[in-house]
Amino acid sequence: MDCIFCKIIAGEIPSAKVYEDDKILAFKDINPMAPVHVLVIPKEHIPSCDGINSENSSYVAHIFENIPAIAKAAGCTNGYRVITNCGEDAKQSVKHLHFHILGGKSLPENMG
Ligand code: AMP
Ligand code: ZN
């Protein structure tokens, strides 16, 4: 499958990993939008939020169970924002479910 994040999971493309376990991987975004910009992904290929179901939602739960520690370890000491883009209108560019953690500064109020 031609999925850049599956290739990162497989170690075929390098990434700046900040957290990894048997279910999920977190790494620095290559084009950071804030001082802290980390992506958290499931190790199973789920195309987007639209692909979450009762079979795979444990990956999503596991991601959110780990987000607070990942955010703090990455340098978010005063809060952070978690975003996932789903589909065309949201401009999802990588079709493997991922959650952006943004922080390390006071973020703009406007979400679009
Ligand atoms: P989205 O627009 O929500 O699909 O976000 C995709 C994100 O993946 C963007 O913020 C990109 O900068 C990031 N990205 C794409 N390729 C890589 C890569 N090889 N390593 C790290 N981040 C990447
Ligand atoms: Zn994938």
Side-chain angles (χ1 to χ4, degrees), residues 79-98:
Y80 52 89
R81 183 172 287 160
V82 180
I83 294 174
T84 187
N85 293 317
C86 182
E88 289 289 315
D89 281 359
K91 309 288 189 298
Q92 181 185 4
S93 63
V94 178
K95 308 296 191 267
H96 182 128
L97 180 65
H98 53 281

Side-chain angles (χ1 to χ4, degrees), residues 1-7 9 41-47 94-97:
M1 188 188 298
D2 196 24
C3 169
I4 191 168
F5 287 176
C6 282
K7 287 180 180 165
I9 291 163
I41 65 174
K43 286 192 170 177
E44 178 174 299
H45 182 85
I46 302 170
V94 178
K95 308 296 191 267
H96 182 128
L97 180 65

